[in-house]
Amino acid sequence: MSVRVARAAWARGWGAGCRRGAADLPPPPPRAVDVAELLRDATAAEEGPREAAARRPPGQCSVLLFPGQGSQVVGMGRGLLRYPRVRELYAAARSVLGYDLLELSLHGPREALDRTAHCQPAVFVASLAAVEKLHHLQPAVIENCVAAAGFSVGEFAALVFAGAMEFSEGLGFPPSSRALIVPNALLSG
């Protein structure tokens, strides 16, 4: 998925409807035996429109890097609540998680927030809330984003930002299964 499509998805609402899965791909042609040829055809079709786009100078590009577990602190997210859709993010998190993540993020206690089961969703949602702030204050940064990456749980925020994963999926991974995800996911357009 191109980053341009991802940025449009972000503006529409946290990547909703932009996840591309196996069910979205066309079925293989009957009696397809030459996989290499199919891949070449698919690559040629994808590269056609992209070749026409002019390469932007580095000064006109941005990259978002999302933080990981360990960056949580009681009170995080407080300054983000005045931006559009941030409270909606926390409300959606509450419905997925079954507890008030905003309350825990704002008021703690620290021992509860530091537990993996709580800090990973807290960092994930606060990261996406920070993107809302960035989108509000400096929309060109979002529009000119060419890649997104993250440390640890920040990878999930990068995937949601890029439109490769739904918001609820990013919250829905149990902490023990996160280690099974390929580390250092890097998305670029």
Side-chain angles (χ1 to χ4, degrees):
M1 168 177 293
S2 77
V3 175
R4 284 187 200 97
V5 172
R7 285 190 303 270
W10 181 259
R12 284 192 310 272
W14 313 314
C18 293
R19 186 176 46 137
R20 185 174 176 183
D24 299 329
L25 298 175
R31 292 181 242 156
V33 242
D34 189 357
V35 174
E37 185 178 326
L38 291 173
L39 291 173
R40 277 192 301 274
D41 291 344
T43 303
E46 288 179 5
E47 289 178 355
R50 292 180 73 189
E51 290 175 344
R55 183 173 170 93
R56 287 185 277 170
Q60 295 177 0
C61 299
S62 58
V63 174
L64 296 183
L65 183 60
F66 294 92
Q69 184 172 344
S71 60
Q72 71 276 1
V73 61
V74 172
M76 65 188 219
R78 185 181 319 275
L80 302 172
L81 294 174
R82 67 177 176 243
Y83 295 99
R85 299 194 310 182
V86 169
R87 289 190 186 271
E88 292 174 39
L89 279 169
Y90 280 102
R94 182 180 191 160
S95 68
V96 171
L97 297 170
Y99 64 89
D100 192 346
L101 183 64
L102 179 58
E103 177 67 24
L104 181 61
S105 296
L106 294 177
H107 304 291
R110 188 185 66 141
E111 296 76 24
L113 184 59
D114 286 345
R115 286 190 215 125
T116 299
H118 296 137
C119 73
Q120 288 186 344
V123 170
F124 171 78
V125 175
S127 295
L128 295 175
V131 171
E132 282 295 319
K133 175 182 179 179
L134 188 60
H135 181 72
H136 182 73
L137 296 179
Q138 296 179 23
V141 173
I142 302 296
E143 293 162 10
N144 294 320
C145 184
V146 295
F151 296 107
S152 180
V153 71
E155 295 172 26
F156 293 95
L159 288 167
V160 169
F161 170 76
M165 179 182 281
E166 299 288 333
F167 177 78
S168 59
E169 289 176 306
L171 283 171
F173 283 107
S176 61
S177 73
R178 291 185 176 167
L180 301 175
I181 303 300
V182 177
N184 301 321
L186 180 63
L187 305 172
S188 61

